[in-house]
Structures are given as C-alpha cells and as structure tokens.
Amino acid sequence: MKILVCISSVPDTTSKISFTDGDTKLNKAGVTYIIGPYDDYALARAVELKEQSGATITVLNVGGADAEPQIRKALAIGADDAIRVDVEPTDSYFVAEQIAAVAKNGNYDLILMGRETSDYNSGVVHGIVGEMLGISSFSPVMQLDINGNEASITREIEGGKEKLTASLPLVLGCQEPIAEWKIPNMRGIMTARTKPLKVIPAAGSALTITEKYSLPAPKGACKMIPAEEAEKLIELLKTEAKVL
Amino acid sequence: MILIFTEIADGAIKKSSLEAIYYGSKVAEMMDTTVTALAIGNADAAELEKAGNFGATNILHANDTKLTSPNSMAYASVLAETVKNTGAKVIITAKSSFADAVIARAAGALKAAVVGNVTELPNMSNGFQVKVSIFTGKAFADVKVNGDVKILAIKKNAVAPIENNNSAAVENISPSLYENLFSAKVTETIKATGMISLPEADLVVSGGRGMKGPENWQPLLDLADALGAATACSKPVSDLDWRPHHEHVGQTGVKVSPNLYIACGISGAIQHLAGVNSSKVLVVINKDPEAPFFKAADYGIVGDVFEILPKLTKAILANK
C-alpha cells in the first residue's frame, strides 16, 4: 500500500499571534512551528497502518524551506520519503492543486491529511484534491481500518457519527481519535536525516491574497458577581448584555 | 446571480442557512443582482418558501430520493452543476463540516477560490475582499479573492438577519446523479436525537474537568434545558469520555460563536478559548479565582458550580 500524508507547518497551538510589517506579515519571532495538529493524527494513523500490514509513506508539504524541520520530524516518526512543493501555501484551491499534481503520478492508495489546518481552518483541501483526482473523499474521519481494497471509516457528523465503507483510493481528512500522536525515537531521528527529501516547484497560481491582518478588539474587564448572588447573572444577561 | 447552498434539517432550511441567504442578499445589493438558494433533499415547499423572507428570489429544489440522506459528494455534484447552469459567480454557504465537504468538491470541479470563516460582508471598493477569522479566532485576515468563481463559507453571526414578507418561488430541478457518487456504503448512523445542534445554537452551556465526573452533569443539563441551550464540553472531558466527542469545543474540536457561552468548571486553556472566543458574551463559573478564563470573560462568578448552577436554573424558571 502506498500512502501520501500531507502536512502543514503551523504555529504551536499555544502561540500568541501577532503581526509585523504594518500588519501584513505574521510575526514569527518566538513562535514555535509544529506539524499541523490534525495532520499529525493522519501521520500517526499512517504509521500504524504501515506497522500492521506494511506500507510506504510519502510525506508532502506545500511550503517554504522553513517547514523542513517539521518534514524531518514526520520522517523521524515513520514516513519513508518526503516531497516539498516550494511555494507559500496561500489558498485552499492552490494548495490542493499542488497536492493533486504530486498525487497524479504517485499511484497512492490513501491520501491522508488533517481535517483542516490550524491557521486558516477552512477544511476543504482534501475535498478539492479528491475532486481533482476523481476519487472519493471523506472528512472528518475519526476511525480508519483497511481490509484489502476496502476502507472502514467512522466520520463525525453534526450531533453524532456515521460508519461507512468505501473502496480505495481515497482522500481523507483526519481528526482525533483516529490515532495517538507519535513522538519520534532516537533511531527515527537519526535515520530521518538521510531519508530522501525532494523539493519541486509549484504549478498554477494563487487565487487569493491576504492583504492585511488584525487582532480582535481587547475585551473589557470581566464583571464579577458574588457567588451568593449568582441569580443576578440572569438579570444582567437579560437587561445589560441582552442575550436572553 | 448569487447562489446559496443551504442545508436542510427535518424538512426545513437550517437557521444558519437562512443567515447565509440573508448575507447573500446583502452581497446581491452591492453587486446589483439577485439571490437564488439551492436546497437538496427532502423538504416541505412551505418551509422552502421561507428563503424569501431572508432575501432569496427563488429556491431550486433537488428532491431525488437518492439525495434524501446527506452525501457530500452527490450534493457537491448537484451544486457544481447548478453553478454551471445558472452562471453564478459567487456561492455562499454557512460554515459547517458538511457544507465544507460539499463546497470543497464543488470548488475542485469549478476551479473556485474558497474562503472559510468569513465574519463580515465583503468590501468591494477594490476588488472582492472579505474578512476571515484565522488561527481559530485568535486573529483576522483581510483576504482579496481573485478567482472567477468565489465560494464563501460564513461564520455564525456574520450578519444579523432582518426578515421580510416575501416568499421565494420554489422550482424543482433534476440534476444528473452519477453512479460513482453513491459508491460508499453507510453502514450505521449514530445521532443524538432531540438535542439542540451545537454549531447552530445561540446559547451554549459547557462543562470542564471542574464538573468532577460524568455523573455530575445533571445540574448543567438542567440549566441548558431551562435556557434552551446546547451543551458542550472541554477537550479533557471528551478525552476522558465523560461526554461525547461531538460536544468538544476548542481548537481541535467544534468552533462556536453563539450569543452566550457559559463555561462551568473550565480553566480556559488557550486551545479552549480559541474555539469560543468569537462568542458574543462569555460567562465563566469557576472555583479558582485565578482561572485564566476570567481574563476573557464578560461575566464571572467565583464559586462552586454545583451550588451556582441550580441557582441560575431556578432564576430562569422563575422568570418564565
């Protein structure tokens, strides 16, 4: 089985977000970058499938050279080789176009990625890739088992979940609890250094441009209500906040 | 023409989709055009006509029995075909994980620019620019959308709809339904019934580890019931299986933007705040006065949730 795992490189979820250059660029100073948390679940499940029944895993990133530590980490966790499409991942269609271009020649049985990136949270790249390749796509996937050419999938729906079966090849957007995040071991880190990482140029052009960033207006002070007068809250929500 | 992809629940257009229609009508005013809604699946004509109350001129209804249960690939094919037939250049939907799956495949078919989490009406003074929420609500980006076909997924509360008395003309359509769209077999659907949908809810009551165990949830459920609110929980609570995963709100769970979010026994880790910080009003109840959540809250009560929750429920019921 051949698996393509697409990873994004994003600020750690605990990062404080700020901007520079007249609010036109993300301030990367002091920000730790990580493999997208949802992509990390997809990678972990791919490695489990490889351990169970054998597979080769290619990890793919659409991004600049500064994403390479995250790509190396994915190799240390268990991917066999890597491809980086050397371009800023500006918008969903554009990123999907890069992934589909790589996948077209790769003959992958499974293309896995997170349900969304944790920067723009759009959650559409997997579906666009599926459509471009003319294969089925599902998201958000919470459980995945492969039996021959057949995948058993549990996906989250509003207020519950749905179990389904579908034939490979598939594109899946993953989320917890599909697998536990994996931490690379020393041997993995050592071997990752020499695993192949191919850098290729992008195809097509971006459809959107981010012109300016901003932060939410700061919150006013929190109005404290004494516990013994808790019922006053309801009055305030009605008359002052006007949300009841 | 502006096309709205609507979602149907229990034979009627979902509230979030009505909001999307209203949003579309405002965009249509700016572009001097009209709004058409698309409804897929089983729905009552009288319910579909309500699209008019929110600004749609007409509503296209694809009601083939094959489309009765939501299938993102089939729905996307219907949407893409409708876009081609109508020549719509702007497609709008309310953000949801189902709608995301639908617009994604449609975007692939239409070579469309997709922007998610749109929080305001577009600015058309220089091209087509929208404000989107990024980093799970920690910041905003002004994005210029250049594609010939544009698809916007709007966040709840992006506009405050005002209803009118018009009704939309319902027109049945018979889109092409290719066999391969139905190749996946759904074997089981597990869905909570009679619950208020969390992503759609105006009011949300949420519990964290401070609730001390799944057996202690009753006072929280009682308050939600009295308010007519949806229930939610923090990540640790869903990880511990105290509550189902679809209630998990936060950076890696459901993102909500209700009018009121009441957090009970949740300390307010940055990942949780990310999922709730676009709520209009945040109330925090926690026994620890140092809980970081108070810094993000509008109203706070320091005290024992098990004493405070019944008091709140009582106050609501007394006022009814």
Side-chain angles (χ1 to χ4, degrees):
Chain A
M1 187 164 59
K2 285 185 77 181
I3 308 176
L4 182 68
V5 179
C6 310
I7 62 164
S8 55
S9 170
V10 293
D12 187 320
T13 54
T14 58
S15 307
K16 272 219 153 111
I17 301 295
S18 63
F19 304 102
T20 58
D21 290 23
D23 289 333
T24 59
K25 285 200 176 73
L26 183 67
N27 182 5
K28 294 188 175 179
V31 174
T32 308
Y33 276 72
I34 58 167
I35 296 173
Y38 292 110
D39 306 327
D40 220 354
Y41 287 121
L43 175 65
R45 187 61 191 144
V47 171
E48 286 175 1
L49 291 171
K50 177 180 165 178
E51 285 164 356
Q52 281 165 18
S53 44
T56 57
I57 302 172
T58 299
V59 62
L60 169 63
N61 169 261
V62 179
D66 53 2
E68 290 199 0
Q70 283 63 258
I71 300 174
R72 290 287 170 202
K73 187 182 173 193
L75 291 168
I77 286 171
D80 299 288
D81 60 353
I83 301 167
R84 179 169 68 80
V85 182
D86 189 26
V87 70
E88 281 303 307
T90 45
D91 63 84
S92 301
Y93 188 92
F94 182 58
V95 171
E97 210 172 6
Q98 311 314 318
I99 296 171
V102 168
K104 245 172 210 145
N105 306 316
N107 233 348
Y108 298 101
D109 302 288
L110 272 178
I111 301 171
L112 305 182
M113 65 189 84
R115 65 170 292 178
E116 65 188 40
T117 59
S118 58
D119 48 12
Y120 275 69
N121 314 106
S122 289
V124 292
V125 170
H126 31 75
I128 304 176
V129 171
E131 183 70 26
M132 284 173 171
L133 297 173
I135 61 178
S136 298
S137 59
F138 300 99
S139 177
V141 175
M142 305 168 77
Q143 225 179 321
L144 168 67
D145 289 293
I146 306 290
N147 193 352
N149 193 39
E150 196 84 337
S152 306
I153 293 164
T154 303
R155 72 166 154 180
E156 192 157 61
I157 55 172
E158 208 176 292
K161 48 193 174 183
E162 184 176 80
K163 292 186 178 177
L164 52 91
T165 56
S167 304
L168 304 182
L170 292 171
V171 185
L172 305 176
C174 305
Q175 71 170 27
E176 63 194 4
I178 192 163
E180 298 266 348
W181 286 331
K182 295 202 184 308
I183 298 160
N185 57 31
M186 194 42 79
R187 194 171 162 269
I189 295 168
M190 297 305 286
T191 55
R193 290 183 188 164
T194 53
K195 285 180 179 172
L197 193 173
K198 197 163 76 182
V199 180
I200 59 171
S205 53
L207 298 182
T208 70
I209 305 162
T210 294
E211 297 189 317
K212 208 171 167 61
Y213 296 100
S214 56
L215 293 169
K219 273 263 177 192
C222 177
K223 195 173 226 176
M224 299 306 293
I225 298 151
E228 49 282 2
E229 296 169 16
E231 58 281 350
K232 278 199 176 156
L233 171 69
I234 302 302
E235 200 50 42
L236 287 168
L237 292 175
K238 275 188 181 156
T239 55
E240 191 178 77
K242 297 189 168 63
V243 288
L244 289 183
Chain B
M1 196 202 76
I2 310 252
L3 185 70
I4 315 295
F5 170 72
T6 65
E7 285 186 71
I8 304 294
D10 304 321
I13 304 169
K14 280 170 75 171
K15 202 177 138 212
S16 53
S17 293
L18 293 171
E19 213 167 282
I21 294 170
Y22 184 79
Y23 181 99
S25 75
K26 293 286 138 189
V27 179
E29 275 174 28
M30 292 180 204
M31 298 176 76
D32 196 21
T33 182
T34 57
V35 176
T36 296
L38 170 66
I40 306 174
N42 219 341
D44 306 331
E47 288 293 337
L48 296 180
E49 284 171 11
K50 288 183 184 163
N53 299 147
F54 292 83
T57 314
N58 58 333
I59 181 160
L60 308 174
H61 187 201
N63 194 18
D64 193 290
T65 49
K66 281 184 173 171
L67 298 169
T68 304
S69 48
N71 169 332
S72 52
M73 292 206 295
Y75 280 36
S77 164
V78 174
L79 173 60
E81 189 174 291
T82 309
V83 172
K84 283 178 188 155
N85 288 344
T86 56
K89 297 289 183 204
V90 178
I91 297 104
I92 295 165
T93 187
K95 168 101 181 158
S96 80
S97 73
F98 181 71
D100 284 346
V102 173
I103 60 170
R105 294 210 60 118
L110 298 163
K111 193 176 186 207
V114 190
V115 274
N117 296 302
V118 176
T119 61
E120 283 175 13
L121 286 169
N123 176 346
M124 294 191 203
S125 57
N126 175 25
F128 193 105
Q129 191 196 58
V130 288
K131 189 179 277 294
V132 302
S133 156
I134 57 171
F135 295 109
T136 335
K138 284 183 194 168
F140 298 97
D142 292 328
V143 178
K144 191 165 178 184
V145 193
N146 288 333
D148 176 44
V149 180
K150 303 169 177 69
I151 305 183
L152 316 184
I154 64 162
K155 241 183 138 166
K156 186 176 158 65
N157 281 332
V159 283
I162 302 162
E163 288 184 53
N164 63 48
N165 295 320
N166 306 334
S167 82
V170 182
E171 185 190 323
N172 290 307
I173 57 167
S174 309
S176 326
L177 296 172
Y178 307 99
E179 237 7 84
N180 63 343
L181 299 170
F182 303 91
S183 59
K185 297 276 166 286
V186 174
T187 52
E188 194 183 355
T189 304
I190 307 149
K191 204 171 171 173
T193 51
M195 302 287 279
I196 294 164
S197 142
L198 176 59
E200 293 258 298
D202 286 327
L203 312 172
V204 176
V205 184
S206 186
R209 250 183 311 199
M211 296 298 292
K212 294 184 184 142
E215 68 281 8
N216 299 327
W217 236 259
Q218 200 54 46
L220 189 154
L221 299 176
D222 289 343
L223 176 63
D225 206 30
L227 283 167
T231 52
C233 68
S234 66
K235 185 172 192 299
V237 164
S238 120
D239 285 350
L240 290 163
D241 256 337
W242 292 2
R243 299 295 298 171
H245 186 269
H246 61 81
E247 281 198 4
H248 160 207
V249 161
Q251 181 133 18
T252 56
V254 181
K255 288 82 172 172
V256 294
S257 45
N259 294 334
L260 173 64
Y261 185 86
I262 304 181
C264 312
I266 303 176
S267 61
I270 194 162
Q271 294 94 333
H272 185 76
L273 287 175
V276 305
N277 56 8
S278 45
S279 307
K280 270 192 194 154
V281 175
L282 274 172
V283 173
V284 171
I285 305 169
N286 203 300
K287 69 173 190 320
D288 175 12
E290 301 300 320
F293 217 154
F294 284 115
K295 288 200 177 74
D298 298 284
Y299 297 96
I301 306 179
V302 177
D304 181 352
V305 282
F306 300 108
E307 282 172 24
I308 293 163
L309 287 173
K311 279 191 189 175
L312 299 179
T313 306
K314 211 173 136 195
I316 288 156
L317 295 175
N319 267 313
K320 267 195 172 165

